[in-house]
Amino acid sequence: MANSFTRVMSGRNTAVVLASIGASTLASGYLLSDSTAAADRKRLYPPSADFPDLRKHNNCMAAALTPKIYAHLRDKTTSSNWTVDQCIQTGVDNPGHPFIKTVGMVAGDEESYEVFAELFDPVIKDRHNGYDPRTMKHPTDLDASKITSGMFDERYVLSSRVRTGRSIRGLSLPPACTRSERREVERVAVTALSGLKGDLAGRYYSLGDMSEREQQQLIDEHFLFDKPVSPLLTSAGMARDWPDARGIWHNNEKNFLIWINEEDHTRIISMEKGGNMKRVFERFCRGLKQVEQLIQERGWEFMWNERLGYILTCPSNLGTGLRAGVHIRLPILSRDPRFKKILDNLRLQKRGTGGVDTAATGDTFDISNLDRLGKSEVELVQLLIDGINYLIECEKRLEKGQDIKIPAPIAQFRK
């Protein structure tokens, strides 16, 4: 896959980009004049006068940003006029999170990761357990046949799910996109998805156009994503113009879904009830490959490079963007004081079953892989499978009154 950002200005994409510019000339004119005036005002003051107060903050951005880095980056912009202050606004507005250490910054476009690399690189290294984007290369592997032991004991595992995100090269990411760009993402994605056949064939539901009956059905089935209310997302501009150009596509079997223009251009999800993670991942890989092929046939491509893998809005999702998880009952192990250490050593993360903004309650948890970058999709799903099987074995031993052991820590990267 091409990894040059300048690829966007070649061939068919040029026409689309220029058409988008023409379609929003008045809006763009106002935006440019406003941003130019803001830049002029900013130059009246030294960077030290603009440096954010991060003394009470606990996120990756706050730990990495120094007055020197800020001074070097403050007046830089990407070609879409995105600034470092816009990147960090969500981390400035949200000092911390009660359940997880947040990243504290987002990208506005693919170029952000290069123009503001002086800040993004240490944030990436912090979030991804030492992965160095300047010296390391990210592996990609979507061969589901390599997975072993992917069927869980369904007395414990209630459901299985794998998701990732993909961004369309040449269009700004959700924090920065114009209305015309967001609508173009929807058009490109929906047109491509109409080409899926067989068990992946389905239909698209626009959030703005769906009937009340359709909306209620999607809510009942837990498919519908709502307007973002988390301050982490709203501070990053994710809820602008809601629900314009947002929607959900799912296949007829309702086990392969794609969210359009939520936190990323697209979120691809394979899921089902029960414990057959191997089947879920096989469908995930097959669908993802077909979607990418259909996108490419229409003259577009996904954002990707060999250092960062697939490019997404939040640095936490770089690389694979993959989160493989299960809803699992662990009534005895979850009360054991060793539970957290076991999860840490297995590179697993637990959440409440309501999502990232919910605490785990009761004895049912959403447990998933912690890492995204530096390991391939196959490696991460296998890590999740092995880890869940270990947790189930611990639960069974505790049921019998037997002791359990804390496993040795899993190495983050290949040696």
Side-chain angles (χ1 to χ4, degrees):
M1 182 181 292
N3 63 2
S4 171
F5 182 75
T6 57
R7 169 84 181 272
V8 66
M9 296 312 295
S10 64
R12 178 176 175 176
N13 286 353
T14 305
V16 176
V17 171
L18 293 176
S20 297
I21 293 172
S24 56
T25 301
L26 287 175
S28 298
Y30 286 122
L31 286 170
L32 288 171
S33 61
D34 285 350
S35 60
T36 300
D40 289 340
R41 287 195 301 272
K42 187 174 284 186
R43 279 190 283 269
L44 292 174
Y45 301 96
S48 59
D50 272 325
F51 188 76
D53 183 355
L54 303 173
R55 289 173 295 176
K56 296 182 180 180
H57 288 59
N58 178 32
N59 55 51
C60 297
M61 176 278 295
L65 186 61
T66 65
K68 182 180 179 181
I69 291 175
Y70 182 77
H72 189 230
L73 299 180
R74 186 194 66 168
D75 297 329
K76 291 185 176 184
T77 61
T78 67
S79 56
S80 60
N81 216 37
W82 188 253
T83 69
V84 73
D85 276 308
Q86 291 169 304
C87 287
I88 68 174
Q89 193 63 57
T90 182
V92 174
D93 291 349
N94 299 281
H97 189 281
F99 309 127
I100 58 174
K101 182 179 181 182
T102 58
V103 171
M105 66 185 304
V106 296
D109 49 28
E110 185 173 10
E111 224 181 323
S112 296
Y113 288 106
E114 295 299 327
V115 175
F116 309 119
E118 193 173 355
L119 179 56
F120 270 109
D121 284 355
V123 166
I124 291 167
K125 194 171 184 178
D126 183 7
R127 171 58 182 83
H128 295 283
N129 201 36
Y131 183 90
D132 188 342
R134 292 295 118 186
T135 62
M136 301 175 76
K137 293 183 179 180
H138 171 77
T140 296
D141 188 350
L142 291 167
D143 184 356
S145 68
K146 296 177 181 178
I147 293 297
T148 61
S149 305
M151 182 67 204
F152 299 125
D153 188 332
E154 294 185 342
R155 290 175 296 173
Y156 302 91
V157 172
L158 309 179
S159 62
S160 305
R161 182 177 185 263
V162 181
R163 66 87 164 152
T164 190
R166 290 292 187 265
S167 306
I168 298 171
R169 178 161 278 157
L171 299 171
S172 296
L173 296 169
C177 66
T178 61
R179 296 183 188 94
S180 56
E181 286 179 304
R182 190 185 301 114
R183 292 165 186 168
E184 184 68 355
V185 168
E186 181 185 44
R187 186 193 69 80
V188 170
V190 173
T191 301
L193 293 171
S194 67
L196 290 174
K197 306 297 183 184
D199 67 316
L200 297 177
R203 62 164 291 191
Y204 178 66
Y205 298 83
S206 166
L207 264 63
D209 297 336
M210 68 174 62
S211 67
E212 288 187 12
R213 177 177 170 274
E214 289 172 332
Q215 184 177 17
Q216 189 58 51
Q217 182 177 354
L218 290 170
I219 290 173
D220 292 342
E221 294 171 332
H222 305 288
F223 290 171
L224 191 66
F225 61 89
D226 296 321
K227 180 177 180 178
V229 294
S230 167
L232 297 173
L233 299 180
T234 56
S235 294
M238 305 291 192
R240 292 176 300 125
D241 308 310
W242 199 271
D244 185 51
R246 276 86 169 190
I248 300 171
W249 184 97
H250 68 68
N251 67 342
N252 296 327
E253 282 75 16
K254 298 181 179 179
N255 54 23
F256 187 70
L257 291 75
I258 297 180
W259 294 354
I260 295 177
N261 285 321
E262 190 228 13
E263 183 178 338
D264 290 299
H265 285 169
T266 61
R267 280 282 176 94
I268 298 96
I269 306 164
S270 176
M271 65 182 192
E272 63 182 65
K273 297 290 186 183
N276 198 335
M277 178 59 78
K278 184 175 177 66
R279 184 169 59 201
V280 169
F281 186 54
E282 185 279 329
R283 183 171 54 247
F284 171 85
C285 293
R286 182 162 49 89
L288 197 53
K289 291 174 184 176
Q290 290 188 32
V291 170
E292 182 160 17
Q293 180 181 345
L294 290 166
I295 290 282
Q296 291 174 343
E297 287 175 357
R298 287 154 178 79
W300 296 85
E301 64 182 352
F302 291 140
M303 297 181 191
W304 177 91
N305 68 57
E306 63 180 9
R307 295 181 301 100
L308 298 178
Y310 288 97
I311 304 298
L312 294 169
T313 299
C314 181
S316 67
N317 286 320
L318 290 170
T320 61
L322 183 141
R323 182 174 181 269
V326 299
H327 284 187
I328 182 172
R329 290 187 63 252
L330 298 168
I332 305 176
L333 178 60
S334 61
R335 297 196 300 270
D336 191 288
R338 293 166 288 186
F339 185 41
K340 182 180 184 303
K341 183 63 175 177
I342 291 172
L343 291 174
D344 290 345
N345 284 7
L346 293 174
R347 302 298 298 168
L348 299 179
Q349 179 183 54
K350 71 175 173 68
R351 301 175 174 179
T353 55
V356 66
D357 284 323
T358 63
T361 58
D363 59 14
T364 302
F365 303 87
D366 180 338
I367 295 182
S368 62
N369 57 293
L370 179 61
D371 302 313
R372 308 279 186 271
L373 181 61
K375 280 186 167 68
S376 72
E377 291 83 355
V378 167
E379 289 175 299
L380 290 176
V381 171
Q382 190 64 59
L383 180 150
L384 182 278
I385 289 171
D386 294 343
I388 294 298
N389 282 328
Y390 189 87
L391 296 179
I392 292 172
E393 182 60 30
C394 286
E395 183 72 18
K396 290 179 177 178
R397 289 183 64 85
L398 291 172
E399 287 172 354
K400 298 174 183 177
Q402 299 172 348
D403 195 18
I404 61 173
K405 294 181 179 180
I406 297 175
I410 291 176
Q412 165 70 344
F413 306 116
R414 296 174 182 171
K415 295 182 179 179

